[in-house]
Amino acid sequence: NLKYDYEPELIIGSRKYRPDFCIYHPTKGYPIYFEYFGMMSDEDYALATVDKICAYLNHGLVFGENLMFYFENSKGIDIAAISRVIDMLIQ
């Protein structure tokens, strides 16, 4: 029952980013951005990922409060873990 947007536009300076998801805190209304980085074995993608993370953090987003990152691993996406993180963030 959370309000969310898929790939919302986030403008930082003169650049446009599209985090994978944005959910909105159910009582406070502020956005929480989720970014999944899935091709970390590709060097160009990994370098772009570092730039994106720096832009988010320099924009004032705070990891663990209104920003979450997930990275590809050999086991795939752990939906249960993501659900637990969302529950923690919206308390």
Side-chain angles (χ1 to χ4, degrees):
N1 295 328
L2 293 173
K3 180 181 174 197
Y4 72 94
D5 289 317
Y6 176 68
E7 293 187 348
E9 184 175 271
L10 176 62
I11 299 173
I12 298 176
S14 62
R15 296 189 63 187
K16 292 180 184 178
Y17 295 90
R18 293 208 175 265
D20 293 307
F21 287 94
C22 176
I23 64 170
Y24 298 89
H25 193 283
T27 57
K28 299 176 184 172
Y30 63 82
I32 303 169
Y33 296 99
F34 287 79
E35 189 72 74
Y36 175 75
F37 300 111
M39 300 186 313
M40 295 304 292
S41 60
D42 179 284
E43 185 176 345
D44 291 334
Y45 182 91
L47 290 172
T49 295
V50 171
D51 288 341
K52 186 183 279 190
I53 290 171
C54 288
Y56 289 165
L57 297 175
N58 289 331
H59 181 63
L61 297 175
V62 178
F63 180 77
E65 289 183 23
N66 58 2
L67 178 65
M68 292 303 301
F69 302 126
Y70 295 93
F71 296 88
E72 179 180 273
N73 66 46
S74 61
K75 296 180 183 179
I77 298 173
D78 186 346
I79 299 298
I82 293 171
S83 181
R84 287 190 303 272
V85 168
I86 291 171
D87 288 343
M88 178 192 69
L89 290 173
I90 62 172
Q91 289 183 18

